[in-house]
Amino acid sequence: MDHSKNNIKNLAILSLIIATILLLCSWDPFNDKSSLLQNHSSESAGLLLRPFPQNDELRTALENASTPNKTVVLTVINKAYVDPPVTGDSPSMFDLFLEAFWAGEGTRPLVEHLLVVAVDETAHERCVFRRLNCYRLRAEDDDSGSGGGDDFAGEKIYMSDEFIEMMWWRTRFLLDVLRRGYDFIFTDTDVLWLRNPFTRLSTNQTLDLQISTDTFNGNSTSEDNPINTGFYFIRSNEKTVTLFQRWYDMRTNSTGLKEQDVLQNMIRDKGVIGELGLNVRFLNTLYFSGFCKDSRDVEVVATVHANCCRSIRAKVADLKRVLRDWKRFKNGENADFGGPRDSTRNFSWSKHISCINSWHKKF
């Protein structure tokens, strides 16, 4: 009798073990909606939790560019960025972007971890020719229905419908990178890296996002800072993936707004930072400056962004001035006058003439 009971007990235990194994084998972590996708649409769920191919091109590109701790530097280019905006000896915006890495302090080794994402074939060929880490983002990589691909080859004037569409397409791609577990700096190609920005970014592991500002209000935690999505450092975790998913989902209800404006509204009006428990640092323009607000101190500035500027032609003209100023500073000259300077305190940047004229034109 006891022997029969033991057999039944052993059979029950064996059945439980088999059932557990079958459950574990069939469980797909990408389909677990218990935490990330509460209050998300079915469209969001499918996008956020879609499993990745084992040997896809993006995976290879990220692995090639990544640091050992899975950090990359990302920029997105198209034909308009790699072609000179005027005939003659004028450089392209991409030329100036790469030249800054060469002329900057501590920036040359960072090119090894730069992944250049090309949205058309001309831009991709130019990247490959320069022997950089390149990835060709194709229309079929995007399931938003926006098209993309070679539709994004030409210049997209600031705040045009095509410009807004391209910015959302970029956001969708960056969400994909986050979901793959990579931390990254995203940088627009009109940002010149004069010094290694990692020396000015916080190493605090609890910071989820460090983002540049058009003007800095003096408080690095103030949600009233006007953000700029042309430069930021973000860590891949559940909170940041959720942030990007919600941000991307807002595109269908944000007609006429660029992605930066939508994220700003999510921060200021909807309280998304507190809701998701994000730890965000807003970057000081003293170190991460731009044409909206020049850095006051050339001794510490890390990046210069051609923000508050509409056209590529204007950006290129004034970014050339920035690089000229930078080289004069390194040679001990004053930027404005070209002569010797007594100290860095009397150094001043050249005026952004082209961008000022471009910005004040009517849209």
Side-chain angles (χ1 to χ4, degrees):
M1 189 71 173
D2 289 341
H3 179 69
S4 176
K5 287 182 178 180
N6 287 336
N7 284 341
I8 294 172
K9 182 178 180 181
N10 291 337
L11 182 61
I13 293 173
L14 180 61
S15 298
L16 180 62
I17 293 173
I18 293 173
T20 301
I21 292 173
L22 290 173
L23 179 62
L24 290 174
C25 290
S26 62
W27 177 67
D28 182 355
F30 288 106
N31 288 318
D32 180 13
K33 305 177 185 179
S34 59
S35 57
L36 281 180
L37 291 180
Q38 291 177 357
N39 301 322
H40 275 236
S41 64
S42 58
E43 177 188 358
S44 303
L47 182 60
L48 182 58
L49 301 180
R50 186 182 62 227
F52 301 111
Q54 289 298 310
N55 296 303
D56 61 319
E57 292 180 9
L58 179 55
R59 175 181 178 179
T60 301
L62 288 167
E63 289 175 348
N64 289 341
S66 174
T67 65
N69 67 345
K70 295 191 73 174
T71 301
V72 294
V73 177
L74 295 171
T75 195
V76 177
I77 61 172
N78 68 357
K79 183 177 183 295
Y81 293 172
V82 301
D83 282 346
V86 294
T87 57
D89 296 330
S90 174
S92 69
M93 194 157 70
F94 190 49
D95 291 333
L96 294 174
F97 175 73
L98 294 176
E99 185 180 347
F101 278 91
W102 184 257
E105 295 179 358
T107 50
R108 292 185 191 181
L110 298 179
V111 176
E112 181 180 346
H113 304 296
L114 172 67
L115 178 59
V116 180
V117 180
V119 300
D120 60 68
E121 198 56 37
T122 300
H124 184 250
E125 289 174 358
R126 203 70 55 87
C127 176
V128 172
F129 178 77
R130 288 180 172 272
R131 302 192 178 190
L132 302 167
N133 296 308
C134 310
Y135 175 70
R136 172 70 161 92
L137 181 59
R138 305 177 191 278
E140 56 266 27
D141 297 332
D142 176 48
D143 55 10
S144 67
S146 62
D150 287 333
D151 292 341
F152 292 144
E155 180 177 1
K156 308 306 173 190
I157 298 299
Y158 181 76
M159 289 307 295
S160 66
D161 290 343
E162 293 82 6
F163 173 87
I164 292 172
E165 184 179 332
M166 186 167 69
M167 294 301 100
W168 282 119
W169 205 53
R170 184 181 79 180
T171 303
R172 164 63 184 81
F173 169 75
L174 296 174
L175 166 62
D176 202 11
V177 175
L178 277 181
R179 291 175 56 240
R180 292 167 183 265
Y182 285 88
D183 303 341
F184 62 82
I185 285 183
F186 175 78
T187 176
D188 275 342
T189 317
D190 62 346
V191 177
L192 300 184
W193 290 34
L194 303 181
R195 291 186 173 89
N196 183 345
F198 286 101
T199 62
R200 292 296 174 185
L201 293 167
S202 174
T203 58
N204 187 341
Q205 295 289 321
T206 67
L207 278 170
D208 301 301
L209 173 64
Q210 301 180 64
I211 188 166
S212 63
T213 59
D214 283 337
T215 57
F216 182 65
N217 69 8
N219 183 349
S220 63
T221 63
S222 171
E223 297 175 13
D224 290 328
N225 279 297
I227 63 168
N228 191 299
T229 54
F231 182 93
Y232 57 87
F233 179 38
I234 189 165
R235 297 189 184 277
S236 174
N237 56 45
E238 183 175 301
K239 293 182 291 184
T240 56
V241 170
T242 304
L243 172 68
F244 265 59
Q245 183 65 67
R246 292 190 183 182
W247 183 19
Y248 181 72
D249 286 347
M250 293 286 288
R251 73 194 186 284
T252 55
N253 297 319
S254 304
T255 304
L257 294 177
K258 63 181 183 295
E259 35 69 68
Q260 178 176 293
D261 297 333
V262 173
L263 182 59
Q264 184 78 80
N265 292 341
M266 291 173 67
I267 292 173
R268 285 185 178 176
D269 302 333
K270 300 186 182 299
V272 71
I273 291 178
E275 180 185 352
L276 296 180
L278 289 159
N279 192 358
V280 178
R281 178 187 179 214
F282 300 93
L283 298 175
N284 192 335
T285 52
L286 181 67
Y287 309 109
F288 301 92
S289 73
F291 293 173
C292 298
K293 180 67 175 179
D294 285 327
S295 173
R296 303 185 309 275
D297 191 346
V298 70
E299 287 280 8
V300 299
V301 65
T303 61
V304 177
H305 186 188
N307 50 6
C308 290
C309 192
R310 290 192 68 212
S311 71
I312 291 177
R313 183 170 183 169
K315 288 173 184 282
V316 166
D318 284 343
L319 288 174
K320 284 173 61 178
R321 292 186 177 96
V322 172
L323 272 177
R324 182 197 63 192
D325 291 351
W326 173 249
K327 292 173 182 178
R328 286 178 172 174
F329 163 75
K330 291 177 70 176
N331 290 331
E333 301 174 8
N334 187 297
D336 271 344
F337 306 105
R341 65 171 192 270
D342 297 329
S343 70
T344 59
R345 293 192 177 278
N346 66 12
F347 179 92
S348 56
W349 299 102
S350 298
K351 301 297 181 183
H352 312 302
I353 303 298
S354 299
C355 282
I356 290 173
N357 293 336
S358 168
W359 189 249
H360 286 93
K361 287 181 179 180
K362 292 184 179 179
F363 286 23

